Amino acid sequence: GQSLEQPSEVTAVEGAIVQINCTYQTSGFYGLSWYQQHDGGAPTFLSYNALDGLEETGRFSSFLSRSDSYGYLLLQELQMKDSASYFCAAPNSGNTPLVFGKGTRLSVIA
Amino acid sequence: GAGVSQTPSNKVTEKGKYVELRCDPISGHTALYWYRQSLGQGPEFLIYFQGTGAADDSGLPNDRFFAVRPEGSVSTLKIQRTERGDSAVYLCASSPGQGPGGYTFGSGTRLTVV
């Protein structure tokens, strides 16, 4: 099955850049996704990487290296509202549901 | 609708009782997923529908849990003989089709079994 590992907590200063890493173990690979979840809220889709390299969407970017079974989410110009939990997720196979990591709780401080 | 709607938002029930949780997905989304999330954990997969049929129910923890989607839109998650360990937030998500494309989640139902 799928296994995804990410740090449990990260703290960063407002205006700075933070990187949240995710390593995965899988018998196949069908893309890596990232979701954001504020306390008490629904997970919301941020990005999806199927191929190696960097995908940029505004202040958020996501990177994938399939050879290293590794990806990361990069958040730039951090704002207080970015304080949330961030989950990496991947399916076990091409048409099966996402398996989520345990999440990284990001705290942005002044 | 504009988003995924889940009702009720909160449910408190006594141990041993039966509960039903409802999910109304985005109109036209053929794939529907149920997840369960405990505090400080990631969403844990329960069951996945493609249209009316359950394509994958491998995440259901035991036979007390059952879900239906009779007309390919609204889904109901049913839990019999609830136990205190069933307490969690139950999340529903939908997506346009198969594949790992972005899921749209509802705000969840917080179930508390006392």
Side-chain angles (χ1 to χ4, degrees):
Chain A
Q2 188 64 267
S3 171
L4 301 105
E5 297 292 329
Q6 50 184 132
S8 58
E9 293 183 355
V10 172
T11 299
V13 177
E14 191 177 16
I17 299 173
V18 72
Q19 178 175 312
I20 298 174
N21 299 320
C22 174
T23 57
Y24 59 87
Q25 292 183 326
T26 177
S27 56
F29 181 74
Y30 302 90
L32 187 70
S33 300
W34 289 92
Y35 285 77
Q36 178 193 59
Q37 186 179 32
H38 287 97
D39 285 348
T44 57
F45 173 74
L46 290 177
S47 68
Y48 169 69
N49 293 70
L51 301 174
D52 291 352
L54 193 67
E55 295 280 343
E56 298 181 70
T57 308
R59 296 187 298 113
F60 293 4
S61 304
S62 57
F63 172 82
L64 176 67
S65 170
R66 288 175 294 173
S67 61
D68 296 320
S69 297
Y70 163 74
Y72 64 72
L73 181 69
L74 191 73
L75 295 82
Q76 303 182 72
E77 301 171 18
L78 280 173
Q79 302 175 9
M80 301 299 283
K81 68 178 182 179
D82 297 329
S83 294
S85 292
Y86 293 85
F87 298 90
C88 57
N92 280 324
S93 67
N95 60 355
T96 58
L98 292 175
V99 175
F100 285 80
K102 291 188 175 181
T104 299
R105 187 172 183 88
L106 171 65
S107 297
V108 179
I109 59 175
Chain B
V4 177
S5 175
Q6 291 188 247
T7 54
S9 55
N10 280 283
K11 176 72 176 178
V12 180
T13 190
E14 292 181 346
K15 179 175 176 294
K17 298 291 188 183
Y18 167 83
V19 296
E20 289 189 352
L21 312 180
R22 175 188 168 106
C23 173
D24 198 340
I26 290 175
S27 178
H29 278 193
T30 58
L32 184 147
Y33 313 83
W34 283 100
Y35 285 82
R36 177 168 71 174
Q37 188 175 28
S38 300
L39 191 64
Q41 300 294 313
E44 173 194 7
F45 168 70
L46 296 176
I47 186 169
Y48 151 51
F49 288 89
Q50 187 61 236
T52 60
D56 184 346
D57 65 358
S58 61
L60 294 177
N62 52 58
D63 62 5
R64 296 187 297 105
F65 289 74
F66 188 70
V68 295
R69 194 187 186 197
E71 298 178 356
S73 58
V74 172
S75 176
T76 305
L77 179 66
K78 308 179 181 193
I79 310 174
Q80 298 177 322
R81 304 184 303 280
T82 52
E83 299 177 357
R84 292 198 177 88
D86 299 335
S87 296
V89 175
Y90 288 80
L91 294 166
C92 176
S94 68
S95 67
Q98 292 180 330
Y103 295 179
T104 302
F105 279 87
S107 296
T109 294
R110 181 175 297 278
L111 176 66
T112 303
V113 181
V114 297

